Structures are given as structure tokens and as C-alpha cells.
Amino acid sequence: MEIWINPACSKCRSAVSLLDAEGADYTVRRYLEDAPSTEEIQDVLDRLGLEPWDITRTQEAVAKELGLKEWPREAGSRERWIVALSQHPKLIQRPIITAEDGTAVVARSEEAVRDALGRR
């Protein structure tokens, strides 16, 4: 299991605390320092069953600079969104946990973290 976090994020810290409390075996990826490649983002999206715009933080300053709210949310624009997430990892919703069963969850709640724990 791997968790993508920003240590400054309270939801990330809560998720890590819960994983620790449950004795989970996991690795931490500080994705702002170790930005995921477009292939890794594609893999996580496949695991989540989501589109790139579903995990994009559109209120970030860089999102506004890029004009993301106006970008089409359709299959033909998918690659453009994935490239933006890779180039600007701050745009990626957090935390994301990749579970051992090949799935993933956006773990913004205790329930979501527990869901990931149940997928071991």
C-alpha cells in the first residue's frame, strides 16, 4: 500500500495517523517532491475508476493560471489534464492510497482510509 501525501495537509496527516493506529504496512510518497509521471497518474486514475478532472484541485492558484475550469472534460482532453497533473502535482487531490488489491481511494475521510485498509 502506498499513500500520496502533502505533509502540510491535515487530511493527509489524519490518514497517516489512522494507518499507523491500525498497524498498516505502507509507504509514503511526498508527491510534491516526487511528482508522479503521466504513466503513474494514468495508473492511479485506472485504479480509482476516475477521470483526471475528478482528482484535480481546481481552486489552486496554478489551476486558475492554467484556466482549468474552462478545459473540456471529455475523453479527447484527458491527456492534457494528466500532463497538467504531472507538471503541477499540487493540483492532485490528496491523499490517495493505492491498495494492495490493485484499487485506490481518495482518502479524504476516515471512512475512505478504512475502506483502503479493508482492501489489503
Side-chain angles (χ1 to χ4, degrees):
M1 188 176 336
E2 181 176 76
I3 183 169
W4 292 7
I5 68 162
N6 172 354
C9 168
S10 64
K11 294 205 183 284
C12 291
R13 292 190 307 270
S14 294
V16 167
S17 292
L18 182 55
L19 292 174
D20 288 343
E22 295 293 325
D25 181 23
Y26 67 95
T27 56
V28 170
R29 180 171 189 170
R30 293 179 178 214
Y31 72 94
L32 296 179
E33 299 162 16
D34 181 13
S37 67
T38 56
E39 293 81 12
E40 289 172 310
I41 292 170
Q42 178 63 57
D43 177 60
V44 163
L45 288 168
D46 290 345
R47 288 170 158 232
L48 288 166
L50 296 173
E51 295 294 339
W53 45 86
D54 296 327
I55 65 162
T56 300
R57 299 171 55 86
T58 58
Q59 297 303 313
E60 293 290 337
V62 68
K64 292 175 182 176
E65 290 171 22
L66 294 171
L68 287 182
K69 285 194 174 185
E70 285 75 46
W71 286 18
R73 295 177 181 217
E74 59 193 22
S77 298
R78 196 169 199 270
E79 187 63 28
R80 180 182 184 196
W81 283 84
I82 292 170
V83 168
L85 292 173
S86 181
Q87 291 176 346
H88 307 281
K90 191 170 191 173
L91 294 173
I92 300 171
Q93 191 59 261
R94 60 186 184 250
I96 293 176
I97 298 175
T98 55
E100 293 175 17
D101 71 352
T103 63
V105 296
V106 178
R108 296 189 54 77
S109 68
E110 180 177 331
E111 180 180 273
V113 176
R114 291 195 184 283
D115 181 36
L117 284 167
R119 298 177 183 198
R120 289 193 265 180

